[in-house]
Amino acid sequence: MRTIITATGSYIPDRRIPNDFFLGHEFLDASGKKIDKPNRQILDQFEAITGIRERRWVSDDLMTSDIAWRAAEDALASSGIDRESLDCIIVAHNFGDVRPGSRRSDLVPALAARVKAKLRIENPFTSAWDLVFGCPGWLQGVIQADAMIRAGDIRRAMVIGAETLSRISDPHDRDSLIYADGAGATILETSPDDSAGILSHAVRSDTIEHSKMLFMGPSYNQEVFLEALFLKMEGRKLYKYALQNVAGAIRLSLERAGAGIADVRKIFLHQANGKMDEAILAALYQLYGIEQPPPGVMPMTISWLGNSSVATVPTLLDLVVKGRLEGHSISPGDLIVFASVGAGMHINAAVYRMPA
């Protein structure tokens, strides 16, 4: 038995937030002191480092479970299947539903239960549960669903990655410029073709030294936000960790699949930071003695969608599958790689062959 992806969907918010939106912001350092640089210089440096020119934010009437549901509906429309035939719904996220202005996570009931209710699925045996695994959450949900399918417990699953990071971003922290909102969904099914589908995966969690590189902390402006907590990160340490470890996890997953880097058609890497992703890609090919990665092997959306955490990879996949990302396509038989890194610190990778 193999697990194949039979449909994809996504929800990309309409609200565009260009870098110039932040020209009037007050950026502070961790001590609460104003950064002694003009905002234009801060924003230009940010774009040069991350590649981000704009990001998407949800409107005030939407929460994470709402956009997860919209991505799910898009995937169902693409598949044409009966939604009642889903054996499970897995929603990967990290902060639950956060109402605009509240800064509080709402986690009960599970977001997956909310999505199932919005989908109007009556089947009581469609289990619905959440997965919290940092930015690699969607891919970890795929790995979990694959295990359940191969064990014979289920035959069809939906895995969704959704996040509204704009709601937990500190407006006075320039690191928060990286965060965005979005949702991506995939439908996975069993297949008797053992030459296609998910061929292998690798997962690692480095917690002793690295678990606190992403954390919840107070705003840099304690006068405005006295008690609220916001997402914080040790950006340079995270960059170094990712560069040292992600390529190795991808290589391990390729070895487990009996494949080499020359066999890979596309690499769908978590859209965390443009420069970091390019460095990870270069490090991966250098492990095989190749100095220059082939052009077009790594699709990118971070320049216009930003970093939407668990949503980046499934959204990227949906855009490529549906021919909505210029210059990129995948065909039956192509070998592709998924990989992500995020809070924990967690890394995962999976090798997938497109079915005929």
Side-chain angles (χ1 to χ4, degrees):
M1 286 289 184
R2 291 288 185 191
T3 301
I4 58 172
I5 298 171
T6 57
T8 62
S10 63
Y11 177 76
I12 297 173
D14 294 329
R15 189 181 176 196
R16 298 171 181 263
I17 307 295
N19 288 346
D20 282 359
F21 174 84
F22 301 95
L23 281 172
H25 273 52
E26 183 182 47
F27 292 109
L28 309 175
D29 61 22
S31 68
K33 182 180 178 181
K34 190 178 187 306
I35 295 175
D36 189 23
K37 289 180 183 178
N39 280 7
R40 171 52 67 192
Q41 183 180 351
I42 291 173
L43 294 170
D44 288 347
Q45 289 177 341
F46 169 81
E47 182 175 339
I49 292 170
T50 66
I52 297 174
R53 298 192 300 270
E54 65 179 39
R55 72 284 296 142
R56 300 298 180 95
W57 288 358
V58 294
S59 53
D60 286 349
D61 60 323
L62 296 174
M63 294 189 291
T64 304
S65 60
D66 295 315
I67 63 174
W69 162 63
R70 293 192 179 193
E73 289 284 13
D74 189 29
L76 286 167
S78 299
S79 72
I81 66 167
D82 178 2
R83 62 190 65 201
E84 299 290 341
S85 69
L86 288 171
D87 294 307
C88 85
I89 298 170
I90 304 170
V91 175
H93 65 90
N94 296 290
F95 302 100
D97 277 346
V98 182
R99 299 182 184 279
S102 75
R103 313 295 178 185
R104 292 186 178 182
S105 296
D106 179 0
L107 299 166
V108 179
L111 266 59
R114 302 179 199 197
V115 170
K116 181 182 176 182
K118 291 175 185 291
L119 292 172
R120 309 304 298 171
I121 294 176
E122 298 181 357
N123 181 358
F125 297 105
T126 302
S127 63
W129 46 280
D130 292 0
L131 190 153
V132 177
F133 199 71
C135 293
W138 170 80
L139 184 52
Q140 195 63 26
V142 168
I143 291 169
Q144 300 268 28
D146 173 52
M148 295 168 70
I149 287 172
R150 295 182 61 156
D153 293 335
I154 64 172
R155 296 184 61 83
R156 179 176 283 163
M158 176 179 285
V159 183
I160 306 168
E163 203 73 90
T164 52
L165 294 181
S166 65
R167 301 272 170 84
I168 47 86
S169 300
D170 181 358
H172 298 281
D173 182 354
R174 57 185 167 178
D175 285 346
S176 293
L177 292 168
I178 203 168
Y179 300 132
D181 306 336
T186 43
I187 295 175
L188 287 71
E189 301 187 38
T190 182
S191 171
D193 181 4
D194 65 359
S195 65
I198 298 173
L199 305 183
S200 66
H201 70 265
V203 182
R204 62 181 291 169
S205 296
D206 296 290
T207 60
I208 295 176
E209 299 291 336
H210 306 290
S211 62
K212 295 182 180 180
M213 287 195 291
L214 279 158
F215 58 96
M216 300 302 291
S219 170
Y220 288 170
N221 189 338
Q222 284 289 283
E223 294 182 5
V224 176
F225 302 105
L226 182 59
E227 297 182 359
L229 296 179
F230 298 86
L231 181 60
K232 300 291 180 177
M233 67 177 173
E234 297 281 356
R236 292 180 181 177
K237 292 181 180 179
L238 196 155
Y239 186 104
K240 182 179 179 181
Y241 168 82
L243 192 58
Q244 290 176 337
N245 296 292
V246 175
I250 295 174
R251 181 173 183 175
L252 177 59
S253 66
L254 284 168
E255 290 173 350
R256 289 174 175 174
I261 195 66
D263 302 315
V264 176
R265 164 77 173 165
K266 294 288 182 186
I267 297 174
F268 291 82
L269 187 59
H270 166 49
Q271 305 291 284
N273 172 317
K275 292 293 185 183
M276 186 175 85
D277 286 359
E278 290 170 2
I280 290 171
L281 185 70
L284 172 62
Y285 277 84
Q286 287 167 8
L287 290 178
Y288 291 89
I290 301 171
E291 288 301 317
Q292 190 68 33
V297 72
M298 185 174 67
M300 297 288 286
T301 56
I302 194 164
S303 65
W304 58 287
L305 291 183
N307 178 349
S308 56
S309 184
V310 293
T312 67
V313 178
T315 298
L316 183 61
L317 176 64
D318 183 54
L319 292 172
V320 172
V321 165
K322 294 177 178 174
R324 294 165 54 196
L325 195 63
E326 186 177 354
H328 294 281
S329 64
I330 44 180
S331 304
D334 283 350
L335 194 74
I336 63 178
V337 170
F338 301 111
S340 188
V341 57
M345 288 301 294
H346 304 304
I347 295 173
N348 53 17
V351 178
Y352 182 83
R353 187 175 299 281
M354 294 291 294

